[in-house]
Amino acid sequence: MLTRFAPSPTGELHLGHAYSAVLAHGAARAANGRFRVRIDDIDGSRSREDYVAASLADLVWLGLDPDGDPVRQSAHLGRYAAALDELRSRGLVYPCFCTRADIAASLVAPHGPSGSIYPGTCRHLSGAERDRRLAAEPHAWRLDMARAAALADDLRWEEQGRGMRVADPMAHGDIVLARKDAPASYHLASTLDDAAMGVTHVIRGADLIASTDVHRLLQALLGLPTPVYRHHGLVCGPDGKRLAKRDAAAALASLRDSGVDGPALAADLLAQRLPAGYSLQIP
């Protein structure tokens, strides 16, 4: 077994991140497996090195011991470019020149698991217009979902303890695989990195279960292995809302500074005992 914890260095880790890391670490250790850390730092406009250092310090404080040095997404941009080139050569992606305002203004955009579904505006551009605009305008790359899904026969995955599930990538529409300001989307980078790292079990929050629809499709398209998934409950604060990085009171640094014992907290989280005032939203 190989599990991973993959924080984005865009803010301080909170109690919800700790819960996810503890579950991944605990699963690996219980199975005599390995636990790795990956820093998802390809969002150059938001990622900060001080948050990388803070995240690693939080894991040390919790007593979680990764096997090997952290993996950095920013060191593997060529991997994402090569996968995008492959999909492009197969006619499965197309450039999109729309802004968020363009999409929001569309009256025909339905909603899916991740928000508004792209109405397909740029999918219908002629080859000549695409070439002309590619040379002059910023653009993202979108997956032609209908064409891609038609190539994938078996889109099942195992949800640990809950049996097999069937992905429904069509519900997401033509998702972005590379943004104008980033070399790869979360979907593309995470799927490729999990495969390259040899991750066998992905343990992450239930808020990401819809993303598995897309990840399973990308695995099928790119010939990648499918790990076992476990989408765990989300930690909620005293107000009943799930924690976010803006919740300073739940930041691990604040808990540490208040005298909380890190390894004891990790042991409690592994046993699903949360600090007073916090609750677990079961999916």
Side-chain angles (χ1 to χ4, degrees), residues 110-239:
H111 281 72
S114 303
S116 296
I117 294 178
Y118 180 64
T121 307
C122 291
R123 189 191 329 121
H124 305 296
L125 297 179
S126 68
E129 184 171 2
R130 283 184 183 178
D131 290 343
R132 177 182 61 79
R133 297 183 70 175
L134 276 171
E137 297 180 37
H139 55 277
W141 288 94
R142 288 186 180 274
L143 183 66
D144 187 328
M145 188 62 78
R147 182 174 293 183
L151 296 177
D153 295 327
D154 184 0
L155 291 182
R156 293 175 298 169
W157 86 81
E158 181 183 349
E159 182 70 22
Q160 190 172 35
R162 300 191 176 192
M164 302 301 294
R165 296 200 175 194
V166 179
D168 180 19
M170 288 295 294
H172 299 259
D174 293 357
I175 51 110
V176 169
L177 292 185
R179 301 199 319 261
K180 300 172 185 178
D181 57 347
S185 68
Y186 162 73
H187 296 304
L188 183 62
S190 184
T191 302
L192 291 169
D193 288 340
D194 283 342
M197 293 172 66
V199 173
T200 64
H201 290 68
V202 173
I203 298 173
R204 60 189 181 190
D207 55 327
L208 292 172
I209 193 167
S211 297
T212 310
D213 289 337
V214 177
H215 299 181
R216 182 65 194 91
L217 175 61
L218 291 174
Q219 290 158 3
L221 294 175
L222 297 170
L224 304 176
T226 302
V228 175
Y229 289 90
R230 176 183 173 187
H231 293 92
H232 58 73
L234 304 175
V235 177
C236 299
D239 59 359

Side-chain angles (χ1 to χ4, degrees), residues 45 78 88 147 151 169 173 204 237 242 250 268 278:
S45 63
R88 189 184 296 115
R147 182 174 293 183
L151 296 177
R204 60 189 181 190
R242 68 183 181 92
D268 283 342
Y278 296 94

Side-chain angles (χ1 to χ4, degrees), residues 11 48 73 172 205 233 263:
R48 287 172 34 182
Q73 280 192 332
H172 299 259

